[in-house]
């Protein structure tokens, strides 16, 4: 091995393998029902799959422009206007990315100097911590406290310093399923405006809201020109493997994130971009059907887990529900999830890895309900074999 230094630079050590890959590997090893990684076991709309196949047959198989194919950028602009009344210029303000993951990375790497601080809410999606570390920036977290996962506004104020560069928000929120309400968003917007901060909002679950409504942070007063709004076709159409995401942002921010984006992936998935453009053009019925389907699965899983004795927090959106495992006799979510696939044949995600405050996250486990009714029933029947369940 050349040299004595570890190959991985110091600030990325500790990232390890993502918890989602780790738990899926255990699920595969034990042939478990995978309520861990958030991907649906139900196919997305056939018409959109056909559009991808058509695009391949029609020869749309070479590099897309770095900003994305015009048809998709226009479809995203139309979607943002139709759904939220937000106007974005398809050429100068919309960028197609390799999933929301790349949009997040490109943005954070583009705008954060070494030592800048990024304020985000805890628990946080794992790639935020990785991107902040890659940028050499510093993470500051504000706690979302159960049962409703509200944050303390004073804590948010205290998290802001002279080095704060941005607030990074995820609504609807993974893993809690929280949908930030108007008052909370107004408070976040006020902090951004008062301290002249950028905002990055991860809205990949924008179409998966069961109670309440999703409000993009960019639609609040003073936010349009300081916000990067990120979303993805993965969750909205149940095609997580296509990795087509996007970022909507004012021209100066768009130019910044395109600069990094062009050296990350440059461009991706040309035929899938055409198919997603077609999907967005189908309008609201596709999303309504998706919401209805997952609302029923949410109710099924949450009721089932509660009946088994888990303390399940209300979830208003996303693919996920959070359960406290203490009432069924466990207190270490990591150990619980590592043994669960082998023990009863179910996989879940320990939330402790998404917390800086490990004590709070320790007993919390995320279960995904983006699965068929049969699979959820099977998972519940298997969980009933745990000794502490009722
Ligand atoms: N943000 C959140 C909150 C997520 O749950 C995910 C996983 N879908 C992503 C970003 C990444 O999305 P994509 O698969 O489009 O890269
Ligand atoms: N977003 C998905 C989840 O939260 C996983 C994506 C991934 O595996 N990185 O489960």
């Amino acid at each position: 091995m050349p040299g004595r230094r570890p190959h991985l630079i110091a600030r990325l050590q500790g990232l390890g393998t993502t918890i989602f890959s780790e738990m899926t590997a255990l699920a595969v090893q034990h042939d478990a029902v995978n309520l861990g990684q958030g991907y649906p076991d139900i196919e997305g709309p056939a018409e959109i799959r056909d559009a991808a196949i058509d695009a391949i047959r029609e020869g749309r198989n070479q590099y897309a422009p770095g900003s994305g194919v015009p048809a998709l950028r226009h479809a995203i602009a139309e979607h943002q206007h139709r759904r939220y009344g937000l106007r974005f210029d398809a050429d100068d303000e919309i960028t197609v990315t390799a999933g929301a993951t790349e949009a997040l990375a490109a943005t954070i790497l583009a705008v954060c100097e070494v030592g800048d601080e990024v304020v985000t809410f805890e628990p946080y999606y794992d790639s935020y911590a990785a991107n902040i570390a890659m940028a050499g920036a510093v993470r500051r977290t504000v706690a979302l406290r159960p049962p409703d996962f509200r944050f303390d506004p004073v804590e948010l104020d205290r998290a802001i310093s002279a080095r704060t560069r941005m607030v990074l928000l995820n609504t609807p929120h993974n893993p809690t399923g929280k949908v930030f309400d108007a008052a909370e968003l107004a408070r976040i917007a006020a902090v951004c405006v008062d301290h002249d901060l950028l905002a990055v909002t991860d809205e990949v679950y924008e179409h998966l809201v069961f109670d309440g409504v999703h409000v993009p942070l960019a639609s609040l007063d003073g936010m349009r020109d300081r916000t990067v709004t990120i979303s993805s076709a993965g969750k909205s159409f149940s095609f997580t493997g296509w990795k087509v995401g996007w970022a909507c942002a004012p021209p100066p921010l768009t130019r910044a994130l395109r600069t990094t984006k062009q050296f990350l992936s440059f461009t991706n998935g040309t035929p899938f971009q055409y198919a997603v453009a077609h999907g967005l053009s189908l309008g609201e019925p596709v999303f309504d059907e998706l919401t209805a389907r997952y609302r029923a699965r949410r109710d099924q899983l949450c009721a089932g887990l509660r009946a088994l004795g888990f303390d399940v927090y209300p979830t208003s959106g996303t693919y996920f529900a959070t359960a406290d495992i203490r009432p069924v006799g466990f207190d270490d979510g990591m150990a619980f999830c590592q043994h669960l696939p082998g023990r009863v044949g179910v996989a879940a995600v320990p939330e402790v890895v998404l917390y800086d405050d490990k004590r709070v996250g320790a007993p919390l486990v995320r279960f995904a309900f983006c699965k068929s009714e049969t699979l959820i029933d099977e998972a519940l029947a298997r969980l009933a074999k745990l000794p502490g369940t009722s």
Side-chain angles (χ1 to χ4, degrees):
M1 190 171 94
R4 294 212 183 133
R5 278 174 45 182
H7 292 309
L8 188 63
I9 57 169
R11 63 179 192 265
L12 300 190
Q13 282 170 23
L15 290 178
T17 304
T18 86
I19 197 67
F20 311 114
S21 306
E22 193 183 330
M23 292 302 143
T24 290
L26 282 177
V28 170
Q29 186 188 334
H30 295 284
D31 198 19
V33 178
N34 192 350
L35 303 189
Q37 196 175 27
Y39 63 88
D41 71 335
I42 305 157
E43 280 298 345
E47 186 173 345
I48 306 177
R49 278 182 279 152
D50 287 343
I53 293 162
D54 289 347
I56 291 172
R57 289 222 170 92
E58 285 159 14
R60 301 188 188 276
N61 298 308
Q62 307 307 328
Y63 293 130
S67 57
V69 300
L72 178 53
R73 284 185 279 110
H74 283 279
I76 294 164
E78 207 276 319
H79 171 271
Q80 295 302 85
H81 184 241
R82 179 180 76 219
R83 221 174 143 93
Y84 307 119
L86 283 168
R87 286 195 186 278
F88 289 101
D89 184 87
D91 293 328
D92 299 331
E93 299 189 307
I94 294 176
T95 308
V96 179
T97 55
T101 307
E102 190 195 34
L104 285 157
T107 304
I108 292 168
L109 291 172
V111 304
C112 288
E113 293 285 5
V114 172
D116 278 354
E117 294 179 4
V118 175
V119 172
T120 192
F121 296 88
E122 165 164 314
Y124 47 79
Y125 185 59
D126 65 345
S127 79
Y128 305 170
N131 293 157
I132 293 166
M134 285 173 194
V138 178
R139 177 175 78 245
R140 298 269 175 249
T141 56
V142 175
L144 298 174
R145 295 183 200 286
D148 52 7
F149 297 104
R150 301 186 80 79
F151 65 90
D152 176 352
V154 175
E155 212 184 305
L156 176 59
D157 289 340
R158 287 209 193 111
I160 309 296
S161 80
R163 291 305 308 259
T164 309
R165 176 65 162 154
M166 67 159 81
V167 175
L168 172 51
L169 174 72
N170 170 214
T171 184
H173 182 260
N174 177 7
T176 64
K178 176 192 176 61
V179 179
F180 283 69
D181 69 20
E184 292 170 307
L185 293 173
R187 183 75 193 203
I188 296 166
V191 165
C192 292
V193 171
D194 289 351
H195 297 273
D196 197 20
L197 305 176
L198 300 177
V200 176
T201 60
D202 176 346
E203 304 184 358
V204 298
Y205 299 101
E206 62 179 313
H207 300 111
L208 287 154
V209 174
F210 316 119
D211 312 308
V213 280
H214 170 67
V215 178
L217 191 63
S219 65
L220 275 77
D221 279 353
M223 295 307 291
R224 168 70 174 75
D225 287 336
R226 62 175 75 246
T227 303
V228 181
T229 304
I230 292 172
S231 194
S232 168
K235 311 286 165 162
S236 297
F237 296 121
S238 308
F239 295 130
T240 60
W242 286 14
K243 296 297 288 187
V244 175
W246 51 85
C248 302
L253 275 171
T254 293
R255 283 194 295 276
L257 72 90
R258 282 183 185 174
T259 303
T260 44
K261 186 254 179 307
Q262 67 188 334
F263 299 114
L264 291 172
S265 65
F266 176 52
T267 181
N268 74 298
T270 306
F272 297 123
Q273 292 194 23
Y274 283 100
V276 171
H278 181 69
L280 288 173
S281 78
L282 298 174
E284 299 305 302
V286 178
F287 303 132
D288 294 344
E289 197 194 313
L290 186 85
T291 311
R293 182 198 302 155
Y294 287 126
R295 183 184 285 113
R297 300 293 173 273
R298 173 203 59 174
D299 294 345
Q300 181 192 358
L301 179 71
C302 292
L305 290 174
R306 281 192 191 108
L308 290 174
F310 289 93
D311 190 1
V312 183
Y313 293 113
T315 172
S316 304
T318 74
Y319 282 166
F320 310 113
T322 292
D324 191 321
I325 57 174
R326 283 174 294 193
V328 292
F330 300 89
D331 54 15
D332 178 347
M334 179 58 90
F336 177 84
C337 290
Q338 280 169 340
H339 293 127
L340 201 60
R343 202 162 173 186
V344 295
V346 176
V349 166
E351 293 191 15
V352 67
V353 297
L354 313 176
Y355 278 86
D356 289 343
D357 188 343
K358 302 293 178 198
R359 280 167 316 154
V360 178
L364 302 181
V365 168
R366 190 191 82 175
F367 291 92
F369 50 77
C370 49
K371 308 289 168 180
S372 67
E373 217 176 320
T374 320
L375 220 55
I376 293 175
D377 275 341
E378 176 62 29
L380 290 168
R382 291 182 184 195
L383 286 169
K385 293 187 200 132
L386 283 172
T389 54
S390 35

